[in-house]
């Protein structure tokens, strides 16, 4: 494993951590919606 | 100060809410768009002294006696949460209908201000309304508003009046309608309602002068006679949907996608060259193919989706979609649903979740649950990349594929509703009355805002759930169970292949018995866009849109060769993904609205059976037509489909018997 490999792994891990953090934070905030793209039509604003 | 916005459906409450709060809540030119209350603060420009002004937008209601659950939200809020002021939004183009609810609000004792909305249309129609006389008759301030206008819309005057009235602490004096207060029995209420109508008619006669007699046919009536015609309405609807799919997926969409995908390609190539040759191929593939390639393949379809939703938003704003509900009502009525079920289904074309949630406007429990079960059959935004992909890869002219999937969705809903009615044994009928909104020139701004919000949500989803899923798929595809890197020529030894292969066996009769397709179908339950992302990762395709050819999927022959299935099997896979259960989030919404575990399990089972059966018939019949012989796994598939049919048939018989027994019990009772 070279230095570049570790950097790439770090970048990937960072991206995944950010994505998972967002998913978990939304879940904790009671956001049940997974981000379907229909927010403007969503009648339940509490879900967003 | 708490301000409630109350009024009839489609009187412009949410538009007015947006105008005074600066929010961008979804509005639609039809009734029933708002089914939950929404709160917001009055925006600074209308509230320079920074008063504490909270506005609550309530679902539309025709009266204080609730008929649907969203009407009861309005009634409960107004009666129990003691707002300081009620702004009653009255549609100035339809005074006689609107003021009935007003008379009930005036009796609550809470100060009421009437916002005579859509006032710009009064002049346009050549009508006149004597505002001071109306204010005298109702004993409350009346302000002319036009919430759709960005300036000179009456909002400053309205908010000033609200603050003055709210601070005065005066109790609202109701208009003098004799006999209304004493009502306690059903007969009393009916008499009181008649008196209210008589009062409203008198007021309207006194204050309003209409240029066009309501007996005469207006231009809108004449247009409706064609567009909402029982036979002509269907081909017109089909033509409009075809046009929408053509614009989004053949004409304008690919042009925009060209630039967008170019950027994704540049990013991919830039990072690839930055990494160089020294990086471990597994690590490089994780970043390039798993994350950038997988997410990029999905995001590449964003321009197409945005154009499609822009067109649908324009249609909705113009008032056309309400006519669609009328056109389809008679078909839905025959299978135990009604036009009311169509509204959630149209909303469901954006996303299944709000579509399912919109079913709460349906009072009949069986109809509500059936609609919640069937709404996900409409192709939602998340399914559009799958449609666009398969239409592009296997079918040159792709706009008819999207259109036919839309109408296949409607046909499947009608057939399914018929089956469910037989299973439940509930043959109760309901009638659908919908107030047709005025046609209007759709607002480009509203459509643009709606589309930008969808785009934002799509990108967030791509950057979270889809990114994580694609990374997991890439990792599972790169290693075997011994955690050794899978050889390049032996991907079937990977963890992903070993998990998906047993499932793939079940798909042989459907024509796509490959582990890659099975894996994509499974990840599709997390989010439907994952189907495209997973296929991109599994087949190492960076993007599906050709920037050279300006075509939706360039080198389609090449992609179809990589996929290794026939066009008929591709169509079957598309049908399977559209008609099997929706994503988990939509299933969660179904659970909330159905309020029955038994119904939910039945719904998911039914959707699985429907998707499998349809895909089986598409593949086998399609193969028979194109090659002269049935496809692989015919006997096994036939047995599976027969078992599904037997199961449904048994439940239908049981439902019919139950219905006969209850009918018998009713006749004995009589």
């Amino acid at each position: 494993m070279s230095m570049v490999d570790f950097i790439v792994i770090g970048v990937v891990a960072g991206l995944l951590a950010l994505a998972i953090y967002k998913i978990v934070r939304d879940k904790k905030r009671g956001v049940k919606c997974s981000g379907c793209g229909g927010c403007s039509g969503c009648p339940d604003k509490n879900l967003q | 100060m708490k301000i409630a916005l109350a009024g009839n459906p489609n009187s412009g409450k949410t538009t007015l809410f947006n105008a005074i709060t600066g929010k961008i809540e979804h509005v639609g030119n039809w009734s029933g768009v708002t089914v939950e209350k929404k709160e917001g603060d009055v925006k600074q420009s209308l509230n320079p002294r920074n008063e504490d002004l909270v506005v609550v937008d309530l679902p539309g209601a025709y009266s204080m006696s609730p008929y649907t659950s969203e009407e009861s939200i309005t009634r409960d809020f107004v009666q129990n949460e003691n707002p300081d002021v009620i702004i009653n939004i009255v549609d100035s183009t339809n005074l006689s209908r609107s003021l009935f609810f007003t008379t009930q609000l005036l009796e609550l004792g809470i100060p009421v201000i009437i916002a005579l909305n859509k006032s710009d249309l009064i002049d346009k129609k050549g009508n006149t309304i004597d505002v001071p006389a109306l204010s005298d008759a109702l004993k409350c301030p009346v302000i002319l508003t036009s919430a759709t206008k960005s300036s000179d819309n009456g909002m400053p005057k309205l908010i000033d009046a609200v603050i003055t009235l709210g601070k005065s602490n005066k109790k609202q004096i109701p208009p003098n309608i004799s006999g209304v207060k004493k009502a306690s029995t059903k007969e009393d209420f009916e008499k009181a309602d008649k008196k209210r109508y008589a009062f409203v008619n008198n007021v309207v006669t006194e204050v309003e002068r209409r240029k066009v007699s309501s007996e005469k046919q207006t231009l809108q009536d004449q247009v409706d006679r064609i567009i909402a015609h029982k036979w002509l309405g269907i081909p017109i609807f089909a033509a409009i949907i075809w046009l929408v799919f053509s614009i989004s997926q053949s004409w304008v969409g690919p042009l925009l996608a060209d630039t967008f995908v170019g950027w994704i390609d540049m990013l991919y190539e830039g990072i690839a060259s930055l990494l160089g040759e020294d990086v471990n191929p597994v690590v490089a593939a994780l970043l390039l193919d798993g994350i950038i390639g997988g997410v990029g393949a999905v995001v590449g379809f964003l321009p197409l989706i945005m154009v499609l939703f822009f067109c649908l938003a324009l249609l909705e704003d113009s008032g056309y979609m309400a006519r669609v509900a009328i056109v389809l009502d008679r078909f839905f009525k025959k299978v135990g649903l009604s036009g009311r079920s169509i509204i959630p289904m149209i909303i469901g074309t954006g996303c299944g979740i709000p579509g399912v949630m919109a079913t709460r406007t349906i009072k009949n429990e069986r109809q509500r649950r059936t609609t919640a079960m069937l709404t996900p059959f409409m192709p939602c935004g998340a399914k559009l990349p799958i449609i666009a992909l398969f239409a592009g890869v296997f079918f040159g002219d792709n706009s008819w594929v999207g259109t036919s999937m839309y109408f296949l969705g409607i046909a499947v809903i009608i057939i399914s509703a018929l089956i469910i009615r037989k299973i439940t044994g509930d043959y109760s009928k309901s009638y659908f009355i919908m107030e047709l909104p005025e046609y209007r020139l759709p607002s480009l701004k509203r459509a643009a805002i709606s589309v930008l919000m969808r785009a934002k949500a799509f990108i967030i989803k791509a950057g979270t759930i889809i990114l994580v899923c694609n990374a997991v798929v890439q990792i599972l595809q790169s290693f075997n169970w011994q955690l050794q890197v899978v050889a390049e020529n032996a991907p079937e030894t990977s963890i992903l292949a070993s998990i998906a292969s047993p499932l793939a066996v079940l798909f042989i009769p459907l024509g796509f018995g490959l582990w890659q397709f099975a894996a994509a179908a499974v990840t599709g339950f997390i989010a439907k866009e994952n189907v495209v992302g997973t296929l991109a990762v599994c087949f190492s395709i960076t993007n599906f849109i050709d920037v050279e050819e300006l075509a939706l999927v360039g080198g389609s022959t090449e992609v179809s060769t990589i996929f290794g299935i026939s066009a008929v099997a591709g169509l079957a896979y598309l049908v399977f993904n559209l008609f099997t259960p929706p994503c988990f989030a939509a299933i969660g919404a179904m659970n909330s609205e159905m309020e029955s575990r038994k119904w939910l399990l039945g719904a998911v089972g039914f959707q699985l059976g429907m998707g499998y059966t349809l895909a089986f018939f598409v593949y086998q019949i399609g193969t028979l037509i194109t090659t002269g012989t049935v496809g692989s796994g015919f006997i096994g598939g036939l047995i599976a489909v027969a078992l599904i049919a037997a199961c449904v048939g048994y439940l239908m018989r049981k439902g019919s018997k139950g219905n006969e027994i209850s009918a018998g019990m009713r006749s004995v009772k009589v």
Side-chain angles (χ1 to χ4, degrees):
Chain A
M1 291 282 264
S2 66
M3 185 67 178
V4 186
D5 289 339
F6 283 113
I7 293 170
V8 175
I9 289 170
V11 170
V12 170
L15 286 171
L16 287 175
L18 278 173
I20 292 167
Y21 170 72
K22 166 97 176 110
I23 294 167
V24 172
R25 193 189 61 169
D26 284 351
K27 202 161 180 67
K28 275 187 184 166
R29 278 165 55 198
V31 180
K32 290 180 205 165
C33 171
S34 61
C36 61
C39 299
S40 59
C42 184
D44 199 338
K45 293 290 148 184
N46 298 325
L47 296 190
Q48 293 171 40
Chain B
M1 191 185 297
K2 198 180 273 183
I3 306 157
L5 299 185
N8 287 177
N10 203 39
S11 56
K13 290 175 299 304
T14 305
T15 311
L16 195 134
F17 176 80
N18 289 344
I20 59 180
T21 61
K23 289 201 166 194
I24 41 174
E25 296 294 347
H26 181 69
V27 292
N29 187 15
W30 55 356
S31 54
V33 174
T34 310
V35 295
E36 288 261 325
K37 66 179 184 193
K38 297 164 189 166
E39 281 192 15
D41 295 325
V42 173
K43 63 184 177 186
Q44 178 82 35
S45 58
L46 294 172
N47 182 20
R49 280 168 297 188
N50 265 333
E51 310 262 0
D52 182 23
L53 302 176
V54 179
V55 187
V56 184
D57 179 25
L58 298 167
Y62 287 108
S63 80
M64 293 297 281
S65 346
Y67 182 73
T68 58
S69 57
E70 81 275 13
E71 281 196 351
S72 67
I73 292 172
T74 299
R75 186 197 59 169
D76 293 347
F77 182 85
V78 172
Q79 288 184 339
N80 304 331
E81 299 216 14
N82 299 318
D84 298 290
V85 177
I86 297 171
I87 299 178
N88 174 213
I89 294 97
V90 167
D91 181 352
S92 61
T93 63
N94 205 338
L95 266 189
S96 52
R97 184 258 291 153
S98 309
L99 293 181
F100 178 85
F101 185 44
T102 306
T103 60
Q104 290 182 319
L105 292 174
L106 291 168
E107 285 160 16
L108 298 171
I110 301 165
V112 174
I113 290 183
I114 290 177
L116 206 55
N117 204 24
K118 305 183 187 177
S119 60
D120 51 323
L121 296 178
I122 303 174
D123 289 339
K124 273 188 192 167
K125 285 174 174 275
N127 300 342
T128 56
I129 294 175
D130 185 343
V131 176
L134 182 63
S135 177
D136 284 347
L138 299 174
K139 297 188 172 80
C140 69
V142 178
I143 312 286
L144 286 170
T145 59
S146 181
T148 51
K149 288 167 75 177
S150 52
S151 62
D152 193 23
N153 54 12
M155 296 306 142
K157 204 174 167 190
L158 178 68
I159 298 301
D160 274 352
V162 166
I163 295 171
T164 311
L165 195 67
K167 284 182 175 172
S168 69
N169 289 324
K170 278 184 189 166
K171 213 179 160 195
Q172 180 66 48
I173 304 161
N176 190 17
I177 312 172
S178 59
V180 168
K181 278 184 183 171
K182 293 167 193 168
S184 56
T185 63
K186 191 185 168 192
E187 287 75 23
D188 287 346
F189 276 110
E190 283 173 358
K191 279 180 193 167
D193 285 352
K194 280 182 187 166
K195 283 178 181 165
R196 275 203 187 90
Y197 279 121
F199 171 79
V200 167
N201 285 338
N202 283 337
V203 171
V204 173
T205 313
E206 274 177 36
V207 303
E208 189 188 37
R209 295 286 172 272
R210 292 179 85 92
K211 192 178 175 188
V212 181
S213 162
S214 55
E215 286 86 32
K216 283 185 188 165
Q217 241 189 41
T218 60
L219 178 66
Q220 175 167 315
D221 294 335
Q222 287 168 353
V223 172
D224 277 341
R225 286 181 81 89
I226 300 166
I227 282 182
H229 186 270
K230 65 177 183 176
W231 293 117
L232 282 175
I234 300 288
I236 290 172
F237 180 42
I240 287 174
I241 293 298
W242 176 82
L243 192 68
V244 166
F245 273 98
S246 295
I247 293 170
S248 66
Q249 311 212 347
S250 298
W251 304 337
V252 184
L255 279 172
L256 299 175
D258 172 45
T259 314
F260 195 63
V261 170
W263 295 340
I264 298 170
D265 272 357
M266 271 169 60
L267 178 73
Y268 183 94
E269 281 161 18
I271 292 177
S273 64
L274 199 71
L275 295 180
E277 300 290 317
D278 300 333
V279 187
N280 183 307
V282 175
V283 177
L286 180 59
L287 180 64
L288 291 172
D289 298 335
I291 293 180
I292 300 173
V295 174
V298 176
V299 174
F301 289 97
L302 181 62
L304 280 74
I305 293 169
M306 284 175 73
V307 175
L308 187 121
F309 283 130
F310 186 77
C311 296
L312 288 178
L314 292 180
L315 278 180
E316 195 184 316
D317 204 28
S318 70
Y320 175 69
M321 291 317 246
R323 272 77 188 174
V324 173
I326 301 293
V327 169
L328 295 178
D329 175 52
R330 69 198 173 98
F331 298 103
F332 277 54
K333 210 154 50 186
K334 282 183 181 151
V335 295
L337 297 176
S338 75
R340 200 166 258 282
S341 302
I342 297 160
I343 295 166
M345 288 168 190
I346 292 173
I347 294 173
T349 53
C351 170
I353 298 166
V356 169
M357 288 168 120
T359 58
R360 67 182 63 163
T361 61
I362 300 167
K363 194 186 173 198
N364 180 296
E365 194 177 59
R366 197 259 312 156
Q367 280 188 16
R368 190 181 72 244
R369 287 170 169 171
T370 306
T371 310
M373 183 196 285
L374 304 180
T375 294
F377 283 151
M378 289 304 284
C380 67
K383 290 173 183 170
L384 289 176
I386 316 175
I387 296 176
L389 171 64
F390 281 84
V393 168
F394 294 106
F395 306 96
D397 175 22
N398 44 59
S399 44
W400 71 263
V401 179
T403 312
S404 52
M405 287 304 130
Y406 198 91
F407 280 90
L408 181 62
I410 295 173
V412 169
I413 286 167
I414 291 172
I415 294 163
S416 303
L418 197 68
I419 294 170
I420 295 163
R421 189 168 68 152
K422 292 226 178 231
I423 289 174
T424 56
D426 179 355
Y427 289 83
S428 59
K429 283 184 181 171
S430 74
Y431 297 93
F432 173 61
I433 299 169
M434 186 184 191
E435 190 186 328
L436 286 177
E438 298 257 342
Y439 285 111
R440 70 179 180 204
L441 205 63
S443 157
L444 294 177
K445 186 185 164 193
R446 274 196 293 273
I449 288 170
S450 163
V451 168
L452 286 175
M453 286 178 73
R454 279 184 200 280
K456 185 185 156 196
F458 188 87
I459 289 168
I460 291 173
K461 194 175 180 186
T464 52
I465 293 172
I466 293 165
L467 185 142
V468 173
C469 283
N470 285 336
V472 171
V473 166
Q474 180 66 36
I475 292 166
L476 293 180
Q477 193 188 224
S478 301
F479 294 95
N480 61 23
W481 287 104
Q482 285 75 44
L483 297 181
Q484 294 161 331
V485 177
V486 170
E488 206 171 309
N489 56 353
E492 64 282 354
T493 58
S494 67
I495 298 174
L496 185 69
S498 65
I499 294 171
S501 293
L503 278 173
V505 175
L506 296 174
F507 298 145
I508 291 171
L510 315 186
F512 46 86
L514 300 172
W515 65 266
Q516 292 93 333
F517 286 97
V522 171
T523 58
F525 290 119
I526 299 167
K528 286 290 172 188
E529 297 94 330
N530 268 333
V531 173
V532 172
T534 305
L535 288 176
V537 173
C538 289
F539 288 106
S540 299
I541 300 170
T542 315
N543 79 64
F544 289 111
I545 299 172
D546 188 348
V547 293
E548 303 283 322
E549 299 285 326
L550 278 188
L552 182 61
V553 179
S556 54
T557 324
E558 194 186 315
V559 177
S560 60
T561 311
I562 296 170
F563 276 179
I565 54 171
S566 64
V568 173
L571 190 62
Y573 189 66
L574 175 60
V575 166
F576 180 82
N577 279 293
L578 297 192
F579 298 104
T580 41
C583 62
F584 290 140
I587 292 174
M590 280 165 60
N591 185 34
S592 307
E593 300 305 326
M594 286 178 167
E595 294 171 323
S596 161
R597 194 50 58 93
K598 190 175 145 191
W599 264 85
L600 182 73
L601 290 174
V604 173
F606 185 84
Q607 288 164 342
L608 269 174
M610 180 58 78
Y612 193 91
T613 307
L614 280 175
F616 173 77
F617 283 121
V618 167
Y619 174 63
Q620 296 296 344
I621 294 171
T623 308
L624 188 65
I625 292 168
T626 51
T627 66
T629 173
V630 289
S632 51
F634 176 73
I635 300 294
L638 197 64
I639 292 168
V641 169
L643 282 172
I644 294 167
C647 216
V648 170
Y650 167 74
L651 291 169
M652 281 165 71
R653 262 180 75 112
K654 207 174 149 192
S656 297
K657 272 188 183 172
N659 194 43
E660 279 165 24
I661 292 166
S662 54
M665 282 171 74
R666 276 199 299 274
S667 60
V668 168
K669 214 174 171 183
V670 169

